[in-house]
mmCIF file of all heavy atoms in Angstrom:
data_model
loop_
_atom_site.group_PDB
_atom_site.id
_atom_site.type_symbol
_atom_site.label_atom_id
_atom_site.label_comp_id
_atom_site.label_asym_id
_atom_site.label_seq_id
_atom_site.Cartn_x
_atom_site.Cartn_y
_atom_site.Cartn_z
ATOM 1 N N ASN A 1 -17.545 63.890 -60.245
ATOM 2 C CA ASN A 1 -18.716 63.535 -61.041
ATOM 3 C C ASN A 1 -19.723 64.660 -60.912
ATOM 4 O O ASN A 1 -19.881 65.238 -59.837
ATOM 5 C CB ASN A 1 -19.332 62.221 -60.568
ATOM 6 C CG ASN A 1 -18.509 61.020 -60.941
ATOM 7 O OD1 ASN A 1 -18.508 60.594 -62.091
ATOM 8 N ND2 ASN A 1 -17.793 60.461 -59.970
ATOM 9 N N TYR A 2 -20.432 64.956 -62.013
ATOM 10 C CA TYR A 2 -21.389 66.044 -62.041
ATOM 11 C C TYR A 2 -22.691 65.583 -62.672
ATOM 12 O O TYR A 2 -22.701 64.703 -63.536
ATOM 13 C CB TYR A 2 -20.862 67.227 -62.851
ATOM 14 C CG TYR A 2 -19.545 67.774 -62.384
ATOM 15 C CD1 TYR A 2 -18.356 67.349 -62.956
ATOM 16 C CD2 TYR A 2 -19.493 68.727 -61.376
ATOM 17 C CE1 TYR A 2 -17.137 67.855 -62.536
ATOM 18 C CE2 TYR A 2 -18.276 69.238 -60.947
ATOM 19 C CZ TYR A 2 -17.104 68.796 -61.531
ATOM 20 O OH TYR A 2 -15.901 69.309 -61.109
ATOM 21 N N VAL A 3 -23.774 66.219 -62.263
ATOM 22 C CA VAL A 3 -25.030 66.008 -62.953
ATOM 23 C C VAL A 3 -25.028 66.868 -64.216
ATOM 24 O O VAL A 3 -24.294 67.858 -64.320
ATOM 25 C CB VAL A 3 -26.236 66.358 -62.063
ATOM 26 C CG1 VAL A 3 -26.265 65.450 -60.848
ATOM 27 C CG2 VAL A 3 -26.204 67.821 -61.650
ATOM 28 N N GLY A 4 -25.863 66.488 -65.175
ATOM 29 C CA GLY A 4 -25.850 67.150 -66.466
ATOM 30 C C GLY A 4 -26.214 68.617 -66.442
ATOM 31 O O GLY A 4 -25.741 69.391 -67.285
ATOM 32 N N SER A 5 -27.022 69.031 -65.489
ATOM 33 C CA SER A 5 -27.480 70.410 -65.458
ATOM 34 C C SER A 5 -26.376 71.409 -65.146
ATOM 35 O O SER A 5 -26.515 72.595 -65.449
ATOM 36 C CB SER A 5 -28.629 70.561 -64.454
ATOM 37 O OG SER A 5 -28.207 70.220 -63.151
ATOM 38 N N VAL A 6 -25.293 70.958 -64.544
ATOM 39 C CA VAL A 6 -24.218 71.870 -64.165
ATOM 40 C C VAL A 6 -22.885 71.511 -64.803
ATOM 41 O O VAL A 6 -21.937 72.304 -64.728
ATOM 42 C CB VAL A 6 -24.043 71.945 -62.636
ATOM 43 C CG1 VAL A 6 -25.350 72.361 -61.973
ATOM 44 C CG2 VAL A 6 -23.552 70.617 -62.074
ATOM 45 N N GLU A 7 -22.791 70.370 -65.424
ATOM 46 C CA GLU A 7 -21.531 69.952 -66.029
ATOM 47 C C GLU A 7 -21.091 70.968 -67.079
ATOM 48 O O GLU A 7 -21.865 71.377 -67.935
ATOM 49 C CB GLU A 7 -21.669 68.570 -66.653
ATOM 50 C CG GLU A 7 -20.355 67.967 -67.103
ATOM 51 C CD GLU A 7 -20.482 66.513 -67.484
ATOM 52 O OE1 GLU A 7 -21.618 66.037 -67.667
ATOM 53 O OE2 GLU A 7 -19.442 65.840 -67.595
ATOM 54 N N GLY A 8 -19.838 71.368 -66.994
ATOM 55 C CA GLY A 8 -19.304 72.369 -67.897
ATOM 56 C C GLY A 8 -19.358 73.776 -67.341
ATOM 57 O O GLY A 8 -18.628 74.647 -67.823
ATOM 58 N N ARG A 9 -20.206 74.012 -66.367
ATOM 59 C CA ARG A 9 -20.313 75.324 -65.731
ATOM 60 C C ARG A 9 -19.758 75.336 -64.316
ATOM 61 O O ARG A 9 -19.171 76.327 -63.894
ATOM 62 C CB ARG A 9 -21.767 75.795 -65.689
ATOM 63 C CG ARG A 9 -22.401 76.014 -67.047
ATOM 64 C CD ARG A 9 -23.732 76.741 -66.908
ATOM 65 N NE ARG A 9 -24.688 75.974 -66.104
ATOM 66 C CZ ARG A 9 -25.328 76.452 -65.035
ATOM 67 N NH1 ARG A 9 -25.107 77.692 -64.629
ATOM 68 N NH2 ARG A 9 -26.190 75.690 -64.381
ATOM 69 N N PHE A 10 -19.970 74.251 -63.592
ATOM 70 C CA PHE A 10 -19.539 74.158 -62.198
ATOM 71 C C PHE A 10 -18.353 73.211 -62.088
ATOM 72 O O PHE A 10 -18.288 72.193 -62.787
ATOM 73 C CB PHE A 10 -20.659 73.633 -61.305
ATOM 74 C CG PHE A 10 -21.839 74.563 -61.140
ATOM 75 C CD1 PHE A 10 -21.940 75.745 -61.852
ATOM 76 C CD2 PHE A 10 -22.845 74.233 -60.251
ATOM 77 C CE1 PHE A 10 -23.023 76.592 -61.696
ATOM 78 C CE2 PHE A 10 -23.938 75.068 -60.076
ATOM 79 C CZ PHE A 10 -24.030 76.246 -60.797
ATOM 80 N N THR A 11 -17.440 73.530 -61.195
ATOM 81 C CA THR A 11 -16.267 72.701 -60.965
ATOM 82 C C THR A 11 -16.063 72.502 -59.473
ATOM 83 O O THR A 11 -16.034 73.469 -58.716
ATOM 84 C CB THR A 11 -15.003 73.330 -61.571
ATOM 85 O OG1 THR A 11 -15.181 73.537 -62.974
ATOM 86 C CG2 THR A 11 -13.803 72.412 -61.359
ATOM 87 N N ILE A 12 -15.923 71.256 -59.072
ATOM 88 C CA ILE A 12 -15.651 70.920 -57.678
ATOM 89 C C ILE A 12 -14.172 70.593 -57.526
ATOM 90 O O ILE A 12 -13.605 69.862 -58.341
ATOM 91 C CB ILE A 12 -16.504 69.731 -57.217
ATOM 92 C CG1 ILE A 12 -17.995 70.061 -57.339
ATOM 93 C CG2 ILE A 12 -16.159 69.331 -55.787
ATOM 94 C CD1 ILE A 12 -18.905 68.876 -57.083
ATOM 95 N N SER A 13 -13.567 71.117 -56.486
ATOM 96 C CA SER A 13 -12.191 70.796 -56.168
ATOM 97 C C SER A 13 -12.051 70.672 -54.660
ATOM 98 O O SER A 13 -12.957 71.046 -53.906
ATOM 99 C CB SER A 13 -11.227 71.854 -56.717
ATOM 100 O OG SER A 13 -11.510 73.130 -56.176
ATOM 101 N N ARG A 14 -10.937 70.124 -54.216
ATOM 102 C CA ARG A 14 -10.721 70.010 -52.777
ATOM 103 C C ARG A 14 -9.253 70.158 -52.447
ATOM 104 O O ARG A 14 -8.381 69.828 -53.249
ATOM 105 C CB ARG A 14 -11.275 68.693 -52.226
ATOM 106 C CG ARG A 14 -10.562 67.435 -52.680
ATOM 107 C CD ARG A 14 -11.345 66.175 -52.273
ATOM 108 N NE ARG A 14 -11.318 65.951 -50.836
ATOM 109 C CZ ARG A 14 -12.040 65.016 -50.208
ATOM 110 N NH1 ARG A 14 -12.868 64.245 -50.902
ATOM 111 N NH2 ARG A 14 -11.939 64.871 -48.890
ATOM 112 N N ASP A 15 -9.007 70.649 -51.252
ATOM 113 C CA ASP A 15 -7.671 70.807 -50.718
ATOM 114 C C ASP A 15 -7.661 70.074 -49.383
ATOM 115 O O ASP A 15 -8.135 70.598 -48.376
ATOM 116 C CB ASP A 15 -7.325 72.277 -50.543
ATOM 117 C CG ASP A 15 -5.893 72.502 -50.092
ATOM 118 O OD1 ASP A 15 -5.280 71.580 -49.531
ATOM 119 O OD2 ASP A 15 -5.380 73.614 -50.306
ATOM 120 N N ASN A 16 -7.154 68.865 -49.392
ATOM 121 C CA ASN A 16 -7.197 68.050 -48.184
ATOM 122 C C ASN A 16 -6.350 68.634 -47.054
ATOM 123 O O ASN A 16 -6.663 68.445 -45.878
ATOM 124 C CB ASN A 16 -6.742 66.624 -48.492
ATOM 125 C CG ASN A 16 -7.734 65.880 -49.360
ATOM 126 O OD1 ASN A 16 -8.944 66.113 -49.287
ATOM 127 N ND2 ASN A 16 -7.236 64.971 -50.187
ATOM 128 N N ALA A 17 -5.282 69.331 -47.403
ATOM 129 C CA ALA A 17 -4.448 69.950 -46.381
ATOM 130 C C ALA A 17 -5.212 71.020 -45.617
ATOM 131 O O ALA A 17 -4.933 71.269 -44.442
ATOM 132 C CB ALA A 17 -3.194 70.540 -47.002
ATOM 133 N N LYS A 18 -6.168 71.665 -46.283
ATOM 134 C CA LYS A 18 -6.987 72.687 -45.653
ATOM 135 C C LYS A 18 -8.359 72.171 -45.244
ATOM 136 O O LYS A 18 -9.172 72.938 -44.730
ATOM 137 C CB LYS A 18 -7.162 73.876 -46.591
ATOM 138 C CG LYS A 18 -5.868 74.597 -46.925
ATOM 139 C CD LYS A 18 -6.124 75.777 -47.848
ATOM 140 C CE LYS A 18 -4.843 76.529 -48.155
ATOM 141 N NZ LYS A 18 -5.083 77.681 -49.070
ATOM 142 N N SER A 19 -8.613 70.895 -45.486
ATOM 143 C CA SER A 19 -9.905 70.282 -45.184
ATOM 144 C C SER A 19 -11.044 71.085 -45.798
ATOM 145 O O SER A 19 -12.074 71.334 -45.156
ATOM 146 C CB SER A 19 -10.099 70.146 -43.673
ATOM 147 O OG SER A 19 -9.111 69.307 -43.108
ATOM 148 N N THR A 20 -10.858 71.479 -47.047
ATOM 149 C CA THR A 20 -11.795 72.368 -47.715
ATOM 150 C C THR A 20 -12.152 71.851 -49.101
ATOM 151 O O THR A 20 -11.280 71.372 -49.831
ATOM 152 C CB THR A 20 -11.213 73.783 -47.835
ATOM 153 O OG1 THR A 20 -10.891 74.279 -46.531
ATOM 154 C CG2 THR A 20 -12.200 74.726 -48.495
ATOM 155 N N VAL A 21 -13.423 71.960 -49.447
ATOM 156 C CA VAL A 21 -13.878 71.706 -50.804
ATOM 157 C C VAL A 21 -14.443 72.994 -51.369
ATOM 158 O O VAL A 21 -14.940 73.852 -50.628
ATOM 159 C CB VAL A 21 -14.915 70.576 -50.886
ATOM 160 C CG1 VAL A 21 -14.294 69.249 -50.469
ATOM 161 C CG2 VAL A 21 -16.130 70.895 -50.025
ATOM 162 N N TYR A 22 -14.386 73.120 -52.681
ATOM 163 C CA TYR A 22 -14.815 74.326 -53.353
ATOM 164 C C TYR A 22 -15.808 73.983 -54.461
ATOM 165 O O TYR A 22 -15.763 72.909 -55.049
ATOM 166 C CB TYR A 22 -13.634 75.064 -53.979
ATOM 167 C CG TYR A 22 -12.534 75.401 -53.008
ATOM 168 C CD1 TYR A 22 -11.445 74.559 -52.842
ATOM 169 C CD2 TYR A 22 -12.587 76.565 -52.254
ATOM 170 C CE1 TYR A 22 -10.436 74.860 -51.954
ATOM 171 C CE2 TYR A 22 -11.586 76.880 -51.359
ATOM 172 C CZ TYR A 22 -10.505 76.020 -51.215
ATOM 173 O OH TYR A 22 -9.505 76.330 -50.328
ATOM 174 N N LEU A 23 -16.670 74.934 -54.733
ATOM 175 C CA LEU A 23 -17.559 74.844 -55.878
ATOM 176 C C LEU A 23 -17.417 76.134 -56.674
ATOM 177 O O LEU A 23 -17.892 77.186 -56.247
ATOM 178 C CB LEU A 23 -19.010 74.638 -55.444
ATOM 179 C CG LEU A 23 -20.033 74.552 -56.579
ATOM 180 C CD1 LEU A 23 -19.773 73.317 -57.439
ATOM 181 C CD2 LEU A 23 -21.454 74.535 -56.031
ATOM 182 N N GLN A 24 -16.742 76.057 -57.804
ATOM 183 C CA GLN A 24 -16.620 77.186 -58.711
ATOM 184 C C GLN A 24 -17.818 77.183 -59.637
ATOM 185 O O GLN A 24 -18.053 76.209 -60.350
ATOM 186 C CB GLN A 24 -15.327 77.094 -59.516
ATOM 187 C CG GLN A 24 -15.139 78.216 -60.523
ATOM 188 C CD GLN A 24 -14.955 79.561 -59.859
ATOM 189 O OE1 GLN A 24 -14.175 79.685 -58.922
ATOM 190 N NE2 GLN A 24 -15.668 80.571 -60.337
ATOM 191 N N MET A 25 -18.565 78.273 -59.631
ATOM 192 C CA MET A 25 -19.804 78.374 -60.378
ATOM 193 C C MET A 25 -19.660 79.480 -61.421
ATOM 194 O O MET A 25 -19.498 80.649 -61.071
ATOM 195 C CB MET A 25 -20.973 78.683 -59.448
ATOM 196 C CG MET A 25 -21.055 77.737 -58.248
ATOM 197 S SD MET A 25 -22.169 78.326 -56.945
ATOM 198 C CE MET A 25 -23.736 78.250 -57.801
ATOM 199 N N ASN A 26 -19.727 79.110 -62.677
ATOM 200 C CA ASN A 26 -19.617 80.050 -63.783
ATOM 201 C C ASN A 26 -20.904 80.079 -64.589
ATOM 202 O O ASN A 26 -21.715 79.160 -64.517
ATOM 203 C CB ASN A 26 -18.448 79.673 -64.697
ATOM 204 C CG ASN A 26 -17.115 79.704 -63.999
ATOM 205 O OD1 ASN A 26 -16.877 80.519 -63.106
ATOM 206 N ND2 ASN A 26 -16.213 78.812 -64.412
ATOM 207 N N SER A 27 -21.064 81.128 -65.370
ATOM 208 C CA SER A 27 -22.234 81.288 -66.233
ATOM 209 C C SER A 27 -23.530 81.085 -65.467
ATOM 210 O O SER A 27 -24.443 80.384 -65.912
ATOM 211 C CB SER A 27 -22.154 80.317 -67.419
ATOM 212 O OG SER A 27 -20.989 80.542 -68.182
ATOM 213 N N LEU A 28 -23.616 81.703 -64.321
ATOM 214 C CA LEU A 28 -24.782 81.527 -63.461
ATOM 215 C C LEU A 28 -26.043 82.102 -64.103
ATOM 216 O O LEU A 28 -25.997 83.138 -64.772
ATOM 217 C CB LEU A 28 -24.536 82.176 -62.111
ATOM 218 C CG LEU A 28 -23.580 81.406 -61.199
ATOM 219 C CD1 LEU A 28 -23.086 82.298 -60.068
ATOM 220 C CD2 LEU A 28 -24.278 80.173 -60.634
ATOM 221 N N GLN A 29 -27.139 81.428 -63.877
ATOM 222 C CA GLN A 29 -28.438 81.819 -64.391
ATOM 223 C C GLN A 29 -29.429 81.907 -63.246
ATOM 224 O O GLN A 29 -29.207 81.326 -62.179
ATOM 225 C CB GLN A 29 -28.917 80.815 -65.437
ATOM 226 C CG GLN A 29 -28.011 80.688 -66.646
ATOM 227 C CD GLN A 29 -27.867 81.990 -67.403
ATOM 228 O OE1 GLN A 29 -28.852 82.684 -67.669
ATOM 229 N NE2 GLN A 29 -26.640 82.348 -67.750
#
C-alpha cells in the first residue's frame, strides 16, 4: 500500500529469505 504522493514512483518489495525490504525510488524530485 502506498500514499498518493509516491504511488507510481516508489515501489516497496521484500525478500524474507534475506530479511530485507527495499524501497525503489524513481523520478526523484
